[in-house]
Amino acid sequence: ADAVVLGAKVTGYSQSLDGVSAQITHADGRVEDVAGTLLIGADGIHSKVRAQMHPQQPPIHWGGAIMWRGTVRAKPLRTGSSFVGLGTHRHRIVFYPISAPDADGLAEINWIAEVTVDPSHGWQQDGWFRPVEIADFAHHFADFRYDWLDVPAMLQGADCAYENPMIDRDPLETWVSGRVALMGDAAHPMYPTGSNGASQAIVDGRVLGAMMLEHGVTQDALAAYDAKLCAPISAVQLRNRGAGPFGLLNLLDARCGGVFDDIDAVIPPEERAEFMAGYKAAAGFAMEALNAAPPTIAPGARLG
């Protein structure tokens, strides 16, 4: 019953030879220290644990991309579960179904619209995530009309829209300091270009658990976790600052301006497959490798 504490946040920590103590600040202003063997900072992009571990870290990085997100009831396209991306990495819309179709063939469609602007003046809005009206941004996508899709009409049918900048932080040389480790967005906040932000946090948790099974609840487990993931996932962070998998759209735009009759004549299937395989491999999403790999944690495994 005491595993989850609401209305509280970690605001700092201290270490000793025998353990680590997390400073917990409660909503009523009360501050307490909670002792443990290890501390895992999973406190997001504004992580206080990361800030203490790396006090010289640069501020949050924004490259000028603004995203608007929402959902709409619509008929799924193509296969019925297809992920559709239109435009380039500087001006695009992405959407995909997140529910099964109902009796009328309509599903809940998640959509993300994005444009890139001059970031030299920094983010000018209050907060990092706010509700907005569709009319505030729909004009950017007025020309996204096709015989098989009307994007402006789809946006007008949305039940809500939220605006947020696409932000991340510079990669770290390590996610670990003694008995303290970072995971998820606290360790590697990245552009959601490959939709792998939340899934990477799950991978972090599984790998960290596997290292504890091998090394116990020890600093050695944290060091092994850091050695396995920090460098390759830092590379994914930087890769996502580019176009990520949407680089394929940029390639298409460069070759034909996005207008074509036969995609195979513009980018052959083999080239498309090779491009996507490179990103999937870097992000750890290569399907064949994942399916052939043993479980990260064996079923039923428990720490002694």
Side-chain angles (χ1 to χ4, degrees):
D2 60 351
V4 177
V5 179
L6 303 179
K9 60 181 66 177
V10 175
T11 50
Y13 65 86
S14 59
Q15 299 194 64
S16 68
L17 293 176
D18 301 323
V20 59
S21 180
Q23 183 184 73
I24 311 294
T25 301
H26 294 269
D28 60 6
R30 178 171 48 91
V31 179
E32 66 172 330
D33 290 325
V34 177
T37 304
L38 302 175
L39 172 64
I40 311 302
D43 49 340
I45 192 170
H46 303 291
S47 169
K48 297 295 187 182
V49 178
R50 175 183 173 124
Q52 181 172 335
M53 185 184 295
H54 297 279
Q56 303 304 315
Q57 69 173 346
I60 285 175
H61 170 266
W62 176 52
I66 304 174
M67 295 183 292
W68 297 275
R69 301 170 178 263
T71 58
V72 63
R73 298 291 296 181
K75 185 177 180 179
L77 295 171
R78 305 294 181 177
T79 66
S81 60
S82 294
F83 179 107
V84 179
L86 302 167
T88 70
H89 80 290
R90 299 182 66 83
H91 182 201
R92 69 172 179 237
I93 189 161
V94 172
F95 55 93
Y96 48 89
I98 55 174
S99 76
D102 60 18
D104 296 324
L106 302 179
E108 199 76 16
I109 306 296
N110 185 62
W111 55 264
I112 305 100
E114 179 190 328
V115 297
T116 299
V117 300
D118 180 2
S120 59
H121 298 295
W123 183 244
Q124 299 297 308
Q125 306 296 340
D126 292 331
W128 299 96
F129 197 82
R130 66 188 187 109
V132 294
E133 298 296 326
I134 299 292
D136 291 347
F137 63 90
H139 60 281
H140 292 295
F141 305 94
D143 294 334
F144 281 51
R145 299 178 190 269
Y146 312 92
D147 55 2
W148 55 278
L149 173 68
D150 187 332
V151 169
M154 182 184 74
L155 292 176
Q156 288 304 319
D159 57 358
C160 62
Y162 293 89
E163 178 185 80
N164 61 293
M166 188 180 282
I167 54 177
D168 68 358
R169 287 190 185 275
D170 290 346
L172 298 171
E173 66 276 9
T174 179
W175 299 342
V176 169
S177 174
R179 295 178 177 274
V180 183
L182 305 173
M183 67 175 290
D185 275 359
H188 48 68
M190 63 181 78
Y191 286 3
T193 314
S195 301
N196 57 328
S199 55
Q200 185 58 50
I202 296 170
V203 173
D204 294 349
R206 298 293 285 174
V207 170
L208 184 55
M211 295 302 103
M212 288 187 181
L213 285 169
E214 183 175 347
H215 301 282
V217 185
T218 65
Q219 295 183 64
D220 289 342
L222 301 189
Y225 155 77
D226 194 47
K228 184 174 181 65
L229 290 183
C230 183
I233 301 308
S234 293
V236 174
Q237 280 182 272
L238 295 178
R239 180 185 283 251
N240 278 15
R241 283 187 180 177
F246 292 101
L248 200 58
L249 292 178
N250 294 348
L251 185 60
L252 182 68
D253 185 66
R255 292 185 182 179
C256 68
V259 179
F260 59 90
D261 293 316
D262 181 4
I263 183 63
D264 292 346
V266 183
I267 310 177
E270 299 78 12
E271 185 178 2
R272 299 200 302 269
E274 182 180 3
F275 183 98
M276 294 306 297
Y279 182 82
K280 291 176 182 178
F285 291 162
M287 184 167 61
E288 295 79 8
L290 281 173
N291 289 342
T296 304
I297 296 177
R302 293 290 185 274
L303 280 166

